Amino acid sequence: MRKGRIERKTAETAIAVEVNLDGSGTYSVSTGIGFLDHMVEQFSRHSLIDVTMTVEGDLHVDQHHTTEDSAIALGQALSDALADKAGIARYGQAYSPMDETLARVALDISGRPYLVWRAGFSQTRLGEWDTELIEHWFHSVAQAAGITLHVELLYGTNNHHICEAIYKGFARAMRQAVEIDPRKGGAIPSTKGQLGG
């Protein structure tokens, strides 16, 4: 089993995250932000990566630190579980439809973090979660996990559908990318002999 665990404590947040890349999509998520919980649960269920996440954050200030630090910790746990990335498929992509919405996510577990974000929202909140923080969540998880991540909203009008389609697309792309490819014989999927840098 490829597992990762991160504990992160600052003056702003206290976070514990565990992941199992070879799981079945079971989750226990508590961030203090209901809609963020829902999205991390969607990520776990559709990636088949087990996720346990507990966050105590300074929500009396605002949601920024909780959102950012939970993504950093998740990304670090994913990176920990991937170790040297030997044998993984490395690349993943998914089209994710949800009613009137269609999102596209493509990623490379390259060790070179980058986010291209071509999506947006027409309302300022989903539940109590500030929608301006959603792009920042993806930026933070990509940085911490070392993922080149491209997210595009092709079309859609319902903000809930847009966000959920993006998270489900991210999940399904990650599921592809972390899978072990038996044809690779455990080799690191790069002509450099390593991923990153």
Side-chain angles (χ1 to χ4, degrees):
M1 290 289 190
R2 296 173 295 159
K3 297 181 178 180
R5 176 175 173 80
I6 294 294
E7 292 190 15
R8 175 185 170 90
K9 186 171 179 62
T10 71
E12 298 164 343
T13 58
I15 300 176
V17 177
E18 294 183 40
V19 300
N20 177 4
L21 302 183
D22 302 305
S24 58
T26 61
Y27 53 81
S28 175
V29 179
S30 177
T31 67
I33 303 171
F35 204 92
L36 176 56
D37 289 354
H38 182 45
M39 291 302 102
V40 176
E41 291 166 357
Q42 294 292 342
F43 169 75
S44 175
R45 177 58 54 87
H46 293 280
S47 66
L48 299 183
I49 297 171
D50 295 344
V51 177
T52 300
M53 175 184 288
T54 58
V55 183
E56 295 180 9
D58 57 355
L59 293 174
H60 64 285
V61 176
D62 68 8
Q63 300 171 340
H64 187 278
H65 301 140
T66 296
T67 299
E68 179 179 60
D69 291 1
S70 67
I72 290 170
L74 178 61
Q76 289 173 336
L78 291 168
S79 180
D80 186 40
L82 284 161
D84 66 0
K85 308 173 184 68
I88 64 168
R90 178 176 165 179
Y91 294 93
Q93 58 84 30
Y95 283 87
S96 182
M98 188 168 184
D99 295 355
E100 86 299 341
T101 295
L102 183 62
R104 176 170 57 202
V105 177
L107 62 85
D108 174 13
I109 302 176
S110 60
R112 296 185 308 277
Y114 201 90
L115 174 66
V116 174
W117 177 266
R118 294 182 178 173
F121 300 92
S122 61
Q123 63 190 58
T124 58
R125 288 178 178 259
L126 283 166
E128 76 277 25
W129 197 25
D130 295 331
T131 52
E132 72 170 6
L133 294 174
I134 296 168
E135 177 183 357
H136 189 58
W137 189 93
F138 280 97
H139 179 267
S140 298
V141 80
Q143 288 288 319
I147 298 171
T148 300
L149 178 60
H150 292 244
V151 176
E152 293 179 274
L153 172 64
L154 300 181
Y155 45 82
T157 56
N158 182 287
N159 288 270
H160 188 126
H161 295 167
I162 289 168
C163 190
E164 193 161 328
I166 288 169
Y167 270 87
K168 287 177 176 177
F170 176 53
R172 291 177 52 235
M174 280 295 292
R175 179 180 173 182
Q176 288 178 13
V178 303
E179 287 292 318
I180 297 295
D181 184 343
R183 294 179 62 195
K184 293 185 176 177
I188 293 172
S190 172
T191 54
K192 295 178 183 178
Q194 67 179 38
L195 286 169

